[in-house]
Amino acid sequence: MSHFLFFCDFDIKGFFFILRAKYVLTPLFNKCDLLFSHTVLGLLLICRISSPEFRASREGKDFFETCRSPEHCCELTLQPLRRFPFDAAIIFSDILVVPQALGMEVQMLTGKGPTFTDPLKEPEDLQRLRASVDVNKELDYVFRAITLTRHKIEGKVPLIGFSGAPWTLMSYMIEGGGSNTHSKAKRWLYRHPESSHMLLRMLTDVIVEYLLGQVAAGAQALQLFESHAGILGPVQFKEFSLPYLRDIARRVKDKLKEMDQDVPMIVFAKDAHYALEELSESHYEVVGLDWTIDPRSARKRTGGKVSLQGNMDPCALYAPKERISDIVKKMLEGFGSRGYIANLGHGLYPDMDPENVGAFVEAVHLHSKNMNKQV
């Protein structure tokens, strides 16, 4: 049986990829026991914001207004499923709904992206955040979107929930939007370490309740995105990111265990190649990898403790189809055929040719099938 799995992924730009494969959810999820039949059947990657259906649904609507509408989120989640025979879906939402729940105002500006109208500047600004967040009240629209979507899907495919991780959200809240250097946020880590930890703890508490709420609403797997991990060095990552990633997974799983529930959890800490060993011991079933990590090295360093996800460079999709096939073959051989989730190392770009995405799908299908024959 193949252990190849294409999992859903998402980033705040609106890109996502969805899998198509036969699956069996085992009770214990033995490592990432979303097990698949003999071969992977296919994958299709779409940019939501470039699809005609998405543009029609979003026309004239504010982005976060759309996020707050369970009906619109459900519709935007289901649109790809109507067009293609996918076997998984990820709820339409955004990682920045968590800072909004804490009382911050965020806008999605055309040509600029997410923008905080009044970002955090000094530790005193933490007083502006809600000291206690009623997640069921502030993020109820996400939970209702998940429940509505689960009903509409009618059990045909699993639905995945997600959240941004504390450090990534903290950096947005201080930078006020995207940043190349994240110098404002890192300034806090060096100048105000105690206040930084206070903010990270606040975010962790909200994220734990948020993820638990998603499972209660119907999410069948969870992914945590530490998209800005790479801006930290090993020392800062181990102090300001890793403890909170571990705490989230532990607390979510402990609470679910009390209710006789379990869902697989994936952590993707982009560019945190220096922390693979630590990530593999952080209570997640799957560790996502970007394209800067050698598959064989990652396998050796994680020691079989977790399944691995990744990690083809998205820009490889600009290559000719024959070259894509060679790249995929090398990637699959590097990871091996056990405890592995074939995927890209990050999101896509709007100008990528869907035909080349198809070539990626065909290559994974072909080469994984050949590898299975040799097992």
Side-chain angles (χ1 to χ4, degrees), residues 256-276:
L256 290 176
K257 187 176 180 181
E258 291 177 9
M259 300 181 286
D260 291 324
Q261 289 183 283
D262 191 13
V263 298
M265 294 185 70
I266 307 166
V267 61
F268 177 65
K270 187 176 182 295
D271 296 323
H273 49 82
Y274 47 75
L276 276 184

Side-chain angles (χ1 to χ4, degrees), residues 143 146 210-222 252 256 261 263:
F143 305 148
I146 290 172
Y210 181 42
L211 292 176
L212 287 169
Q214 291 185 53
V215 174
Q220 295 154 289
L222 299 170
V252 168
L256 290 176
Q261 289 183 283
V263 298

Side-chain angles (χ1 to χ4, degrees), residues 170-216:
M170 173 182 169
S171 64
Y172 272 114
M173 294 163 72
I174 295 173
E175 295 291 338
S179 171
N180 291 325
T181 65
H182 297 266
S183 59
K184 294 177 183 177
K186 292 185 70 176
R187 171 180 170 271
W188 271 55
L189 304 184
Y190 285 109
R191 185 170 290 187
H192 311 297
E194 292 183 3
S195 296
S196 296
H197 281 297
M198 181 183 299
L199 176 54
L200 291 166
R201 285 193 297 269
M202 292 175 67
L203 286 163
T204 296
D205 290 343
V206 176
I207 290 166
V208 168
E209 294 302 316
Y210 181 42
L211 292 176
L212 287 169
Q214 291 185 53
V215 174

Side-chain angles (χ1 to χ4, degrees), residues 84-368:
F84 304 104
F86 294 144
D87 290 311
I90 189 163
I91 194 66
F92 180 88
S93 188
D94 193 90
I95 66 172
L96 297 182
V97 299
V98 172
Q100 288 177 332
L102 281 160
M104 300 195 75
E105 184 179 348
V106 191
Q107 300 175 343
M108 192 67 73
L109 302 182
T110 303
K112 187 177 181 181
T115 303
F116 286 72
T117 57
D118 190 12
L120 305 176
K121 298 180 179 64
E122 298 296 336
E124 293 76 19
D125 292 334
L126 294 180
Q127 297 175 18
R128 293 195 278 116
L129 302 179
R130 292 189 177 103
S132 178
V133 177
D134 184 344
V135 174
N136 289 321
K137 175 185 176 183
E138 300 298 335
L139 295 170
D140 175 63
Y141 57 88
V142 178
F143 305 148
R144 287 190 287 127
I146 290 172
T147 301
L148 179 61
T149 305
R150 277 295 306 275
H151 284 303
K152 295 285 187 180
I153 287 177
E154 298 179 327
K156 296 173 183 175
V157 298
L159 183 63
I160 294 101
F162 68 93
S163 175
W167 158 246
T168 294
L169 297 179
M170 173 182 169
S171 64
Y172 272 114
M173 294 163 72
I174 295 173
E175 295 291 338
S179 171
N180 291 325
T181 65
H182 297 266
S183 59
K184 294 177 183 177
K186 292 185 70 176
R187 171 180 170 271
W188 271 55
L189 304 184
Y190 285 109
R191 185 170 290 187
H192 311 297
E194 292 183 3
S195 296
S196 296
H197 281 297
M198 181 183 299
L199 176 54
L200 291 166
R201 285 193 297 269
M202 292 175 67
L203 286 163
T204 296
D205 290 343
V206 176
I207 290 166
V208 168
E209 294 302 316
Y210 181 42
L211 292 176
L212 287 169
Q214 291 185 53
V215 174
Q220 295 154 289
L222 299 170
Q223 183 153 353
L224 198 63
F225 292 94
E226 188 69 291
S227 305
H228 298 163
I231 205 68
L232 301 174
V235 173
Q236 283 191 316
F237 181 80
K238 289 177 182 178
E239 181 177 356
F240 295 104
S241 175
L242 185 63
Y244 300 101
L245 296 177
R246 286 175 168 168
D247 193 36
I248 289 169
R250 179 186 55 79
R251 289 168 62 184
V252 168
K253 288 183 175 296
D254 285 351
K255 190 64 175 179
L256 290 176
K257 187 176 180 181
E258 291 177 9
M259 300 181 286
D260 291 324
Q261 289 183 283
D262 191 13
V263 298
M265 294 185 70
I266 307 166
V267 61
F268 177 65
K270 187 176 182 295
D271 296 323
H273 49 82
Y274 47 75
L276 276 184
E277 292 86 353
E278 290 85 355
L279 287 168
S280 70
E281 299 175 342
S282 298
H283 315 294
Y284 293 86
E285 284 76 22
V286 185
V287 174
L289 308 174
D290 60 73
W291 64 93
T292 65
I293 304 172
D294 176 72
R296 288 184 174 84
S297 173
R299 183 67 75 192
K300 182 178 180 181
R301 291 172 60 189
T302 55
K305 300 183 185 74
V306 293
S307 294
L308 299 177
Q309 172 179 272
N311 72 333
M312 193 177 86
D313 182 352
C315 288
L317 293 177
Y318 291 125
K321 293 179 182 179
E322 298 77 11
R323 176 62 178 146
I324 292 173
S325 180
D326 292 339
I327 294 170
V328 169
K329 184 174 185 290
K330 183 177 180 181
M331 178 181 73
L332 298 184
E333 290 173 345
F335 280 108
S337 62
R338 300 297 177 191
Y340 171 50
I341 299 172
N343 211 331
L344 301 179
H346 203 238
L348 292 193
Y349 306 114
D351 62 343
M352 288 180 167
D353 187 348
E355 291 296 320
N356 283 13
V357 175
F360 173 66
V361 174
E362 293 174 8
V364 173
H365 189 173
L366 172 66
H367 297 307
S368 64

